[in-house]
Structures are given as structure tokens and as C-alpha cells.
Amino acid sequence: MSGTVNDTITAIATPTGEGGVSIIRISGTDAPTIARKLFRTPAGKPANEFTSHKIYYGSIHDPATGECIDEVVLTWFQAPKSYTGEDVIEICAHGGMFVSSRILGLALDHGARPAEPGEFTRRAFMNGRIDLSQAEAVADLIAAASDKALQSALTQLKGHLSKKVNALYDRLLSVLSQIEAAIDFPEEGLDLQKRETSINEVQQVRDEIDVLSNTYRQGKIFREGASVALVGKPNVGKSSLLNALLQEDRAIVTPHPGTTRDTLEERVRIRDTHINIIDSAGLRKHPEIIEEEGIRRTRSAIERADLVLVIFDRSQSLDENDDLMCKEVSDRPRLVIINKCDLPEIWSIDDLKLKMNMDNPIFISVKEQNGLNTLIDAIHNHIVGEEKSCETIFITRERHRAHLVDASTALGATLESLEQKLSEEFVATDLDIAMNHLAAILGKFVEDDLLDQIFNSFCIGK
């Protein structure tokens, strides 16, 4: 950060462009002073005092010229009962970039500095209003593009993940206190917890951490959407299927094989989940030079996809290109799609089963719009219907998952030391490592570089 936490900061908190209302937010010790310089009552008089959490109607004036900039409503949130934990002024003006920029400029002229991306939320974290996982949930809430993403972000923002992680941390702290008592007072004859009891408690905590860690795949899909790759040899109808799912002509479709030379990624909402659909170049064994890079990108799309739609054309003979495709997707989560079912079939399902181990295929005809609802249901059920965890909390960030995995690994070492009756010092060291990883999720111990990385991804004004 270029400024300091003692500065008074300001920014436009609403999106760029015209709208009904624009909000200019000011946070810091000088916020009320700046507001008193700019705000006038309906009678044209300065407002000497504000009452916290009360809305004031009036206008903003340029103190240097007396010019009225706009009619506004102003609210003062007195520290510490504000979003940032500092004195916060929010000025609601008429929407429009010119009006908002004039008011913002006056706030800057009278002592505030421009807020950096995410700085309001960063101050809320630094002042103890929220922990780091809740701060990250603010960004997730703003970016939510589906009901599940919204609910997941709200759950985290309300502190459910924090409470869960804190509870796990406290249980390990209780075990650690017993271990450290044995280290510090070995000759005192204290009635300490038996090792078997410690083993059971550590194992239970580790199991709960693993369950929480395993929610990451689903949580990531809630937050970012699922990636679905359309894969098949040339001219099986991948681009036509993409256009059908998007309900628009986004991909070029021709009867000539190899039309798609690159991956094309589009976003579509399927039921209550956002899906990133990747149309890929057709896989074939002897591509033209210009196709080779497209095929390389197809393989990359297969690797990062949450689900692969493997598309066959039953009016084309099965050949070596189908063999290549089956090999490429052999271990990936997939649905097998048989397209062009409006045309006569020249091979049977048994012929296809000889090439790949598969569940029942889905029969469609993109041209005739047949079977598409069945396919959409299958995609949705595969992406969301696998939600088997009893957890109501889902982790949505790789940072959280990595710390949970590392905590579980450290607890595995703790259990090994306890079971082998090794010295308490070994047990305490591994327990401490596990607890530090849990604490890092909440931001109890965090480096400035990590904070910069997290909050720089926020929009300015939040």
C-alpha cells in the first residue's frame, strides 16, 4: 500500500457510469471534518454536528466558490460501529460520473486521499471488524453470478467458516496445552490427559478438516463456475452444440472438418450454476500444421475441465481419430454424447463400448433440437448433483484448501508421534504447525504481501 492506515481515504463506491444514485465514501479520522466543510443544510447553513447512523438531507457545495454541486443525503457512521471500524461518511448523490467526480475531487482537496483497491475492506480487517476469510467473502459476494455462489459467499461473510475454523483451532489448543504442561512440569505429577484421549481428539479434528477440505471442488464451482469442454473429432457438431447451449450463433459452423482451429470459451447459465463452455479444435491423428496448436489447446482444455462432453457422430464411421479421443479423455469426468441422431446410424453402441468404458450415452440431434434438455439436466446433475458432503460450509479459495491440506498433514505427523510414544516436544511442534495453518485462514498471522495480493483484486470503493 502506498498510504498509511492513519490516512483518511475516499472513493466512489458505486459502479462507473450513469445511474439513479452514486455513493462517495470517506473513511478515517478526518471524514466528519471534511463532510462539515462540504455539506449544507436545506437552509444553506453548514452542519456543525452529525449524529451517527442518522440520514441528513442537504447539498454539497464547493467551499472556495460557494457553488452548489448536487443535492444529496449524507450519513455518518461513527467509529467503531462502521464498515471499516473508523469514522465513515457516505454521500449519496445523483448518479453520473461528472457529479460523482466533482464531489470526490472536493473530498480530495480537503484532506482525503484516493482509496486503493479493497482498502475499505482491508481497514475493516485491520480494525478487527472481520477476519480475513470474511474479507475474501466480500469480494466473492460482489462477484457472485448464481444463487449458490451468493449463498456460499453470504455464509462465509456471516462468519460460519470462521466459527468452524476457530472451533477446530480451540480443540487443538486444548490438546496442545496438555502436551506443553507435560513438557514444562514433568515432575509435578499433574493429572494430564492420556495419550489415547489426545489421539482420539486429534484424529476427530483431522477428519473434520479433511471433510472441509474436500468441499473445495464444489465451492470453487459455486464461486467460479464449472468448466465444460466439448471434445470430439472434426465435424461431429461441437460448435453447433455450443451455439445451441448459448442459444446464439457464437461459433462458426460449416460442413468442412477442421473449421474450429482454436478453443472458444463462453459463459452460460445452466439451471442455477454458471458454466464455462469450451469449444475445442477437433482431435485427429494427422492434423494440418495450422491445426496443431489448436489441438494442443484442446488437450489443455481437457486437463482443466471439470467435465468433458465426449461427442460422437453416429453417421460417421468410428476410426483412429475416435481412438485418439478416447485415449485423451480416458481418466477425465465425462458424459458421452451421440449427436446427429436424426441421421441413419452406421455403428452400434456396442461398437462404441469396445473403444471406451462408459455409462449410458446421451442421444441428441442439435439440428432437430432433440435431447438437449436431457443433456442440460445431465450436465447440471454431474456438476451440482455430486454434492454429497454433509457440510453446509464450502471453501471456495485455493488458499484455504492449501492451508487445510497442510494442517491435515501436520496432524498426521502429530498422530504418528503420539502413537509411537515419541517425546512431547515432537508432538507439540507438529500441533503448532497445524494450528498456524488454521490461523492463517482467518488472517491471525499474515504477511503484508499476502494482504496486498488479496485486496488488490477488489474493486476501488470496497
Side-chain angles (χ1 to χ4, degrees), residues 1 48 62 95 109 123 147 194 256 300 325 448:
M1 290 178 61
N48 294 324
D62 184 340
D109 290 343
R123 290 191 174 197
D147 292 336
K194 294 181 179 179
H256 304 291
S300 174
M325 181 178 63
D448 285 343

Side-chain angles (χ1 to χ4, degrees), residues 380-414:
H380 181 265
N381 291 337
H382 184 92
I383 296 299
V384 177
E386 292 187 346
E387 186 180 313
K388 300 182 177 68
S389 172
C390 61
E391 287 285 318
T392 58
I393 304 167
F394 293 85
I395 58 169
T396 60
R397 290 179 175 258
E398 169 60 24
R399 186 181 77 84
H400 300 168
R401 188 204 66 82
H403 281 302
L404 290 170
V405 169
D406 288 343
S408 179
T409 300
L411 291 181
T414 301

Side-chain angles (χ1 to χ4, degrees), residues 260-273:
T260 301
R261 302 297 180 95
D262 196 359
T263 54
L264 175 65
E265 188 164 347
E266 292 292 329
R267 195 169 174 87
V268 63
R269 185 182 177 102
I270 292 183
R271 303 291 185 258
D272 55 356
T273 302

Side-chain angles (χ1 to χ4, degrees), residues 316-335:
Q316 291 186 46
S317 299
L318 296 174
D319 56 26
E320 62 179 2
N321 294 324
D322 294 297
D323 295 334
L324 172 64
M325 181 178 63
C326 293
K327 180 181 178 181
E328 294 288 346
V329 302
S330 61
D331 61 346
R332 303 299 301 162
R334 64 185 186 268
L335 294 174

Side-chain angles (χ1 to χ4, degrees), residues 189-392:
L190 298 176
D191 185 19
L192 299 176
Q193 182 171 282
K194 294 181 179 179
R195 283 206 170 204
E196 290 75 11
T197 304
S198 296
I199 288 173
N200 289 335
E201 181 67 2
V202 170
Q203 184 62 62
Q204 288 177 18
V205 171
R206 189 188 189 199
D207 290 344
E208 291 186 37
I209 286 174
D210 289 342
V211 169
L212 190 57
S213 175
N214 289 335
T215 67
Y216 173 67
R217 177 189 175 275
Q218 200 68 57
K220 181 174 180 285
I221 288 173
F222 290 165
R223 176 171 174 254
E224 300 177 7
S227 292
V228 175
L230 309 183
V231 176
K233 68 183 180 183
N235 212 31
V236 297
K238 298 185 296 299
S239 296
S240 295
L241 179 56
L242 172 66
N243 290 340
L245 293 173
L246 294 176
Q247 297 185 350
E248 64 174 288
D249 290 335
R250 180 64 184 86
I252 297 173
V253 177
T254 77
H256 304 291
T259 300
T260 301
R261 302 297 180 95
D262 196 359
T263 54
L264 175 65
E265 188 164 347
E266 292 292 329
R267 195 169 174 87
V268 63
R269 185 182 177 102
I270 292 183
R271 303 291 185 258
D272 55 356
T273 302
H274 273 264
I275 306 292
N276 301 312
I277 302 181
I278 308 168
D279 182 20
S280 62
L283 288 169
R284 57 177 169 178
K285 279 202 168 185
H286 306 291
E288 299 174 10
I289 294 176
I290 195 171
E291 290 182 90
E292 290 181 353
E293 175 61 19
I295 291 176
R296 186 193 68 78
R297 296 185 185 189
T298 295
R299 291 190 171 104
S300 174
I302 292 172
E303 284 299 314
R304 58 190 174 91
D306 297 296
L307 176 65
V308 179
L309 302 188
V310 189
I311 305 171
F312 295 90
D313 174 1
R314 74 174 187 176
S315 69
Q316 291 186 46
S317 299
L318 296 174
D319 56 26
E320 62 179 2
N321 294 324
D322 294 297
D323 295 334
L324 172 64
M325 181 178 63
C326 293
K327 180 181 178 181
E328 294 288 346
V329 302
S330 61
D331 61 346
R332 303 299 301 162
R334 64 185 186 268
L335 294 174
V336 176
I337 315 299
I338 299 179
N339 188 25
K340 303 187 183 181
C341 290
D342 53 305
L343 300 177
E345 63 176 313
I346 61 175
W347 47 263
S348 69
I349 298 301
D350 290 337
D351 294 329
L352 184 57
K353 286 182 177 179
L354 292 175
K355 289 182 175 292
M356 67 185 305
N357 181 25
M358 66 175 192
D359 297 324
N360 293 330
I362 299 170
F363 294 89
I364 68 171
S365 169
V366 175
K367 180 180 178 181
E368 300 296 330
Q369 297 286 294
N370 291 331
L372 293 181
N373 286 334
T374 300
L375 174 58
I376 288 171
D377 288 339
I379 294 172
H380 181 265
N381 291 337
H382 184 92
I383 296 299
V384 177
E386 292 187 346
E387 186 180 313
K388 300 182 177 68
S389 172
C390 61
E391 287 285 318
T392 58

Side-chain angles (χ1 to χ4, degrees), residues 177-192 425:
S177 66
Q178 294 287 316
I179 299 297
E180 290 188 338
I183 295 172
D184 294 339
F185 308 105
E187 308 297 333
E188 299 296 326
L190 298 176
D191 185 19
L192 299 176
E425 282 82 357

